[in-house]
């Protein structure tokens, strides 16, 4: 343990003098907090303002709390001013979540222009393009020359107000977006040319890709992917230029969304995992509790057949196999369906088509493993009919598992829920219950 | 079904006259192939050369096969020449996989320069930066002026040879990378300035981010994420400029990697799912087979306690609950550990730290659910000691599940395997076996 602590500490020592990678800083802070609270607090207090700002955006709640205790309102406000508007807004919203009155004080200490941007971004719905955009961009006007816009860009760049820009967003004098001129195009023009003339001569080549601020972020990602865009402009319903979404926002979104999906499928909350052990335990415990409840239902089904099990203990030995195979088959179908929904791969093939595919796959495998398991059971217990019973119940359970595995997420999606949340639990509940029930009922009817 | 088919068909009709989105084309082709083979073949033959090239890169094997049957060697070669070098190489490798001799013929029909690039890219290991780079980039030389480089860029752009460029890669006359000059920086300089002078005046601001061609793609992604880069230069071990990796390559990598991980955790192969129902069935069947095998081991463990179950059928009723809760707890720990490994979140916290965290979470939940289930069992069957037995075995099984769930992927990773592949199966095998064994053994020792 001490080796990891030492390397984290030596890394953190640098964070008071130079800018460090924020992800690594967070990981190091988390470790040090658990093992050396005093060193942790001193490090936090000594962070450069840039490090402070960049890590604050990524901090779990408990660490943000420490930050609120270590720094004055105005110091936090100063750090927030260092951030781009989208990150600043995320941070303010995290702080509001923790301590509403303190967050309000901080917001009020932020310089006016920044505050206005944050207040605007806060109004957007969580999954809208507006919530992901930043309000820092390079605007140019139809009536000005390339030279004038370049000069303005130079000043903005020197003052550090604008970073990672790759094009001019050209608007009319009212701010309505006309087109985007990538720097690569701009380089090829005489700098005396006005943006209006560039538009006239070149309208077929100009990039007009933009999204509306209320568009779903998912459709923005699809647009970016389809046309390999590095940046998209964001406009309001009147096409007024509002902001931009850049490739790094898309990276972050893709990675966060994947993590959320993987975690949700396993009954884990991505947010709680970033917090303390106790928060993570509670969030996982919630899904375990639901699982316990459904397991008790399955146990009740088994108890209906107590008499049969007493008569033939082989039933107790074999029944978990049917349930386990059904659960696995179902979770294969579930995972594929959830992922296809999220990747937008179901534009043309409708739900029926997906369900039909999953049903075929699970029935093929069901038929195969029914034969295998029928033979195994027959040779193991030397009861012909027991082989038939387990074969039949395998076929039924695996077939239904594929059906359920695709229907559950599609239904959740249709009803407006996240298809990854809770679907595994519903699936296991059904495949367990059906596995035990079909096997024991068939045994009762055919065998005993 | 017909509605989906109609919309796919009307979309495909456009693909013979204008460039369409490749993802959507593939989805539509897949659907039409299943439902109207004749229409499918006619569409394939009528695709524009751009559409042909862009979809071929994404085609599953069975569709690529159809393509080889519909088109001549030279037509396929022509389409490949339309692609950027990285996509062209992927496609040639897919074709080699299908029909080595035909792929060779196609490669030999490709124009010399393209062929050279493809041959170079083919030499790289699957997960190296070189395998992800494209050889199309905008080179500039220390001794030339900005003006000269811009003129060259203009020509390359007009000929369609270069797309999505955002900076000059400046090298010495031997091709050794000196620095990268983003177009945004270039705009601010007098065009008569040489790249050498720009470097002299501005060395602190120049971007020097590059990766070596043999670097792991994962470390490239981390670099890109850490510094919000849109493009990185790729150099060989002598720092000769070889190619570049762009933000859209990173997007694709992130999304493919996430899909692979989610699928692997559920015992599904991402590649086989793109193929026919029969290929997908076989790939899923493989993991189901392993699961059947481990289930039989668990069944054998249960059979050791046949006598006890005959004596007290409540054991058969309750034992699946212990196994199911253990499986779920373990899969929570497993998923979090796999994801943390892949996100690179374990730089400072070593393996011990992660295992310890998972163990704590699972023991807390184990203790809680042990109490709950102990009480439930006691009130259900009115046997005090049965409550104790199930409580103890829940605590043991859930605690071990958290331990196993974190140890298995960390060990796989340590041994050089993908921590997502097979880890779920190993986990379930162990939690099932341990669940049944601990519960039945404790029952035998304490209760009977």
């Amino acid at each position: 343990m001490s080796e990891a602590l030492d390397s984290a500490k030596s890394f953190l020592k640098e964070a008071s003098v130079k800018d460090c990678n924020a992800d690594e800083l967070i990981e190091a802070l988390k470790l040090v907090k658990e093992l050396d609270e005093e060193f942790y607090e001193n490090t936090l207090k000594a962070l450069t303002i840039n490090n402070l700002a960049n890590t604050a955006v990524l901090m779990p709640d408990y660490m943000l709390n420490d930050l609120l205790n270590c720094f004055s309102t105005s110091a936090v406000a100063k750090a927030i001013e260092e951030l781009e508007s989208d990150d600043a807004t995320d941070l303010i919203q995290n702080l509001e979540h923790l301590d509403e009155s303190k967050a309000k004080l901080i917001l009020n200490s932020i310089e006016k222009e920044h505050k206005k941007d944050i207040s605007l971004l806060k109004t957007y719905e969580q999954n809208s393009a507006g919530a992901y955009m930043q309000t820092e961009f390079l605007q140019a006007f139809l009536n000005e020359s390339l030279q004038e816009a370049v000069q303005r860009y130079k000043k903005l760049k020197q003052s550090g107000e604008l970073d990672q820009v790759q094009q001019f967003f050209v608007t009319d004098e009212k701010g309505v977006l006309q087109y985007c001129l990538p720097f690569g195009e701009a380089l090829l023009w005489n700098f005396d040319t006005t943006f209006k003339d560039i538009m006239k001569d070149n309208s077929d080549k100009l990039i007009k890709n933009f999204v509306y601020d209320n568009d779903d972020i998912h459709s923005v990602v699809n647009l970016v992917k389809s046309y390999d865009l590095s940046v998209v402009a964001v406009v309001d319903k009147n096409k007024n230029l509002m902001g931009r979404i850049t490739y790094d926002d898309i990276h972050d979104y893709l990675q966060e969304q994947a993590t959320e999906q993987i975690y949700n499928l396993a009954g884990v909350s991505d947010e709680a995992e970033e917090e303390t052990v106790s928060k993570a335990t509670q969030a996982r415990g919630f899904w375990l509790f639901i699982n316990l409840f459904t397991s008790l239902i399955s146990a009740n089904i088994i108890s209906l057949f107590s008499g049969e099990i007493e008569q033939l203990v082989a039933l107790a030995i074999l029944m978990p196999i049917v349930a386990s195979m059904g659960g696995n088959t179902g979770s294969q179908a579930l995972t594929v369906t959830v992922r296809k929904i999220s990747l937008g791969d179901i534009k043309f093939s409708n739900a029926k088509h997906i369900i039909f595919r999953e049903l075929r796959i699970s029935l093929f495998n069901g038929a195969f493993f029914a034969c295998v398991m029928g033979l195994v059971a027959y040779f193991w217990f030397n009861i012909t009919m027991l082989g038939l019973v387990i074969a039949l119940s395998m076929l039924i359970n695996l077939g239904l598992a594929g059906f359920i595995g695709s229907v559950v997420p599609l239904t959740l999606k249709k009803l407006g829920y996240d298809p990854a949340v809770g679907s595994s639990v519903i699936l296991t509940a059904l495949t367990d219950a059906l596995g035990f029930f079909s096997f024991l009922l068939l045994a009762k009817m055919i065998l005993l």
Side-chain angles (χ1 to χ4, degrees), chain A residues 229-246:
Chain A
L229 306 174
S230 63
V231 181
V232 282
V234 182
V235 299
D236 69 8
K237 64 179 191 300
N238 300 317
K239 273 196 155 190
N240 287 308
L241 181 59
M242 304 299 284
R244 61 176 180 141
I245 296 176
T246 56

Side-chain angles (χ1 to χ4, degrees), chain A residues 287-444:
Chain A
W287 289 110
L288 290 177
F289 195 84
I290 308 232
N291 184 61
L292 181 65
F293 181 75
T294 66
S295 298
L296 282 168
I297 295 177
S298 295
N300 255 296
I301 291 176
I302 299 173
S303 75
L304 297 177
F305 300 91
S306 298
E308 285 72 23
I309 293 173
E310 271 174 348
Q311 257 181 285
L312 184 63
V313 79
L315 298 181
I317 295 170
L318 293 176
M319 68 183 184
I321 298 180
V322 182
S324 162
M325 290 294 283
N328 267 278
T329 305
S331 108
Q332 291 177 332
L334 175 75
T335 304
V336 171
T337 308
V338 165
R339 192 66 188 157
K340 278 189 178 168
I341 292 173
S342 89
L343 290 177
D345 281 357
I346 46 167
K347 197 178 150 100
F348 293 106
S349 16
N350 56 18
K352 262 186 230 150
H353 187 244
I354 290 193
I355 296 168
F356 184 59
R357 182 186 158 98
E358 290 304 330
L359 194 58
R360 272 192 294 169
I361 295 179
S362 60
L363 278 175
F364 285 143
N365 274 328
F368 176 73
F369 288 105
C371 298
V372 173
M373 197 52 221
L375 289 172
V376 170
Y378 167 66
F379 285 110
W380 188 353
F381 295 99
N382 218 351
I383 308 174
T384 317
M385 280 322 214
L386 185 62
L388 180 69
V389 163
I390 199 163
L392 271 177
S393 78
M394 286 276 272
L395 182 64
I396 295 171
N397 199 35
L398 267 62
L400 280 172
F403 179 74
I404 297 166
S406 53
V407 164
V408 167
L410 286 166
T411 310
L412 286 173
K413 175 77 186 173
K414 187 102 182 174
L415 298 174
Y417 297 106
D418 184 332
V421 177
S423 45
S424 299
V425 172
I426 302 175
L427 173 83
T428 324
L430 291 172
T431 51
D432 272 2
L434 281 168
F436 294 135
F437 186 70
S438 65
F439 178 61
L440 294 171
L441 184 69
L442 284 169
K444 186 177 183 172

Side-chain angles (χ1 to χ4, degrees), chain A residues 131-163:
Chain A
Y132 281 84
M133 75 182 183
Q134 54 175 250
T135 54
E136 294 83 2
F137 50 76
L138 180 58
Q139 189 169 6
F141 299 93
L142 277 182
N143 287 323
E144 74 181 339
S145 71
L146 203 44
Q147 183 67 47
E148 289 170 277
V150 167
Q151 286 309 321
R152 204 171 51 254
Y153 170 50
K154 198 169 187 171
K155 271 184 211 146
L156 285 168
K157 209 173 150 76
Q158 278 161 353
S159 71
E161 278 176 59
L162 209 52
D163 209 15

Side-chain angles (χ1 to χ4, degrees), chain A residues 185-204:
Chain A
E185 286 288 334
L187 275 176
L188 307 179
W189 288 88
N190 185 313
F191 276 26
D192 293 331
T193 325
T194 65
F195 287 98
K196 201 180 213 162
D197 288 334
I198 294 178
M199 181 161 82
K200 241 186 260 160
D201 285 12
N202 222 10
S203 61
D204 56 321

